[in-house]
Amino acid sequence: MPTLTVVVPTYRRLGYLTEALASVRAQTLTDIEVLVCDNAADPATRRLVTELGDPRVVYVPRPRDLGLARNALLGLASAASPLVTKLDDDDAMEPRTLALLAAAFARHPRIDVAFGRLRLVDHDGNDLAARTSALDRHSGRALMPEGLVHGLDAVIGSGAMNLACAVFRREILDDPVPDAVSTAYDLHLLLRLAARGAPGWYAPGAVTRYRLHPDSDTNTGAVRQGLGALAAYDLAEREARHDLRRRPDLLATARTHVAVRTARGLIRAGETGRARQVLLQDLRHHPTAAAARLTLGTFAPSSLAARVSRARGAAWERREAAHDLTDA
């Protein structure tokens, strides 16, 4: 049995995928399994994997398009090892990533997850140092020491832990992931990890080169992903894993941030009524002035609401751009 399984969900991205797989094969931890889960069953992707000639890298074609989330989740659930990680086909790992994170589990058997930092890069792989620094400051990672992290709710709420730079126990996938969380399944799994109550381990070094580009899922499906994230928060609360009403902490603040951003997207798409529903539900969880103002705006005619949302949201979005990941 390999020490760790790397799941690489992919869909017709040969150029990025070539770099992603090269970074996995260059890992200093060599006792690994790599599942390339091809949601397109693309002959060119099959050929790329076959020509690598690496028995650790397994091509897993999907007979039909399962969607981004289901493709990744099936890959993670089918891992042969007790530890898993996901590498999106447009990202890449630093050479010591897997050795660094897997070693934490050997030293601390009680942990459920080990994670590190993201290094943001552009379409061509060039460092986005200013954005990385801003993200580290905003999330609190800039001040986090190496070691055990208790109370994972806080690091999830602040954005300090991301599934893109984490190794976790495969057993958290034993329960099905609801379709409602859609492409926000990563948040759902993080909330599930936090609810188990075990500590995590943080390694302050950058472990993943995280690519920001126009074709990312968050850019092309921001509203869908936002609605999925809200479903993940609500599901966690219904299952009594987290209580966002009685304890309005960083998780509740993060939920409101997602609700406002998603509502703005819905308003721009002309779905003012649906935006109002999103905002009203969030106000019941965590009343804020930003959500209240935007809710009032939804009672204006759709065209006027869209113009007001754009005008008021421009400054807000510029302020938040440095803090948000725009890829998923």
Side-chain angles (χ1 to χ4, degrees), residues 1-7 29 31-35 75-86 93 97-115 166-173 193 196:
M1 178 188 299
T3 299
L4 191 149
T5 297
V6 181
V7 174
L29 177 67
D31 181 23
I32 60 174
E33 167 191 54
V34 184
L35 303 180
L76 291 167
S78 64
S81 59
L83 300 178
V84 296
T85 188
K86 175 180 72 79
M93 293 180 174
T97 291
L98 298 183
L100 180 70
L101 298 182
F105 287 86
R107 294 195 304 269
H108 303 279
R110 293 188 302 115
I111 68 172
D112 276 344
V113 61
F115 63 103
V167 168
F168 56 95
R169 295 196 186 277
R170 193 210 63 81
E171 65 193 59
I172 72 161
L173 291 144
L193 278 166
R196 286 162 61 100

Side-chain angles (χ1 to χ4, degrees), residues 233-292:
Y233 284 121
D234 294 344
L235 181 65
E237 187 168 31
R238 284 199 302 273
E239 294 178 351
R241 290 189 281 130
H242 302 277
D243 190 340
L244 276 65
R245 299 187 197 208
R246 294 186 180 178
R247 193 186 61 193
D249 56 9
L250 284 170
L251 277 182
T253 301
R255 188 196 188 285
T256 291
H257 176 85
V258 172
V260 170
R261 186 173 55 195
T262 303
R264 290 192 188 282
L266 288 167
I267 290 170
R268 289 170 186 162
E271 297 187 55
T272 307
R274 195 175 185 191
R276 186 185 307 128
Q277 291 176 350
V278 166
L279 292 163
L280 288 173
Q281 184 171 359
D282 189 67
L283 285 168
R284 288 193 290 270
H285 281 82
H286 185 215
T288 63

Side-chain angles (χ1 to χ4, degrees), residues 273-328:
R274 195 175 185 191
R276 186 185 307 128
Q277 291 176 350
V278 166
L279 292 163
L280 288 173
Q281 184 171 359
D282 189 67
L283 285 168
R284 288 193 290 270
H285 281 82
H286 185 215
T288 63
R293 285 195 299 268
L294 192 57
T295 302
L296 289 174
T298 64
F299 288 94
S302 294
S303 58
L304 176 59
R307 288 199 299 273
V308 171
S309 175
R310 281 194 294 270
R312 290 185 175 176
W316 182 84
E317 288 177 355
R318 282 194 299 272
R319 186 169 64 250
E320 296 299 318
H323 305 153
D324 288 335
L325 293 177
T326 56
D327 196 6

